[in-house]
Amino acid sequence: MAREQKIPGPDHPITVTPSTNHIVVRAGNRVVADTTRSLTLQESTYPAAHYIPLEDVDQTAIKRTDTSTYCPYKGDASYYTITGDQDLTDAIWTYEQPYPSVKEIAGHVAFYPNKVTITVE
């Protein structure tokens, strides 16, 4: 059975805006991402999420997991664990083939702010 795909609209708006802010993501004292090329995704009344280009993430600090979830507005999400002294399981999510309404976030990842420290300058 096909999954329902919803289109953002007045009742559930989603915007994706390029940002030139300097964003640094840390797991403990370790910098795992550093970028000035993020996208800010604002979905409905949820807190804004910073989507960072995957290439601006330390590839030695992350490991793909088997976790996946589905959002009817964005598509299928995949997850990464931040590895280290204490793994941060599924601390990162990405939509590798997002729905057309949020296509800009392809190739980007977002971090759970309760698992890492995100500094926006």
Side-chain angles (χ1 to χ4, degrees):
M1 185 172 109
R3 295 185 186 196
E4 181 184 11
Q5 179 178 342
K6 295 184 178 180
I7 305 298
D11 59 327
H12 194 99
I14 298 178
T15 58
V16 179
T17 311
S19 172
T20 56
N21 287 333
H22 181 211
I23 298 179
V24 178
V25 180
R26 290 181 176 82
N29 293 324
R30 181 182 188 187
V31 173
V32 293
D34 189 332
T35 192
T36 55
R37 304 180 303 138
S38 68
L39 299 172
T40 302
L41 184 142
Q42 180 64 59
E43 179 175 359
S44 189
T45 58
Y46 300 113
H50 302 286
Y51 279 78
I52 294 171
L54 184 57
E55 60 197 32
D56 291 348
V57 177
D58 179 356
Q59 299 298 303
T60 66
I62 64 173
K63 178 178 67 178
R64 182 75 173 257
T65 71
D66 292 332
T67 303
S68 65
T69 58
Y70 178 72
C71 170
Y73 291 96
K74 296 187 292 288
D76 291 302
S78 302
Y79 291 79
Y80 289 89
T81 288
I82 299 172
T83 59
D85 295 337
Q86 199 168 34
D87 286 356
L88 299 174
T89 304
D90 295 336
I92 304 169
W93 76 90
T94 184
Y95 291 90
E96 293 173 332
Q97 296 180 322
Y99 286 153
S101 60
V102 293
K103 64 184 180 303
E104 299 90 345
I105 65 172
H108 291 67
V109 299
F111 293 79
Y112 281 104
N114 62 330
K115 295 188 177 194
V116 297
T117 303
I118 302 171
T119 306
V120 180
E121 301 171 345

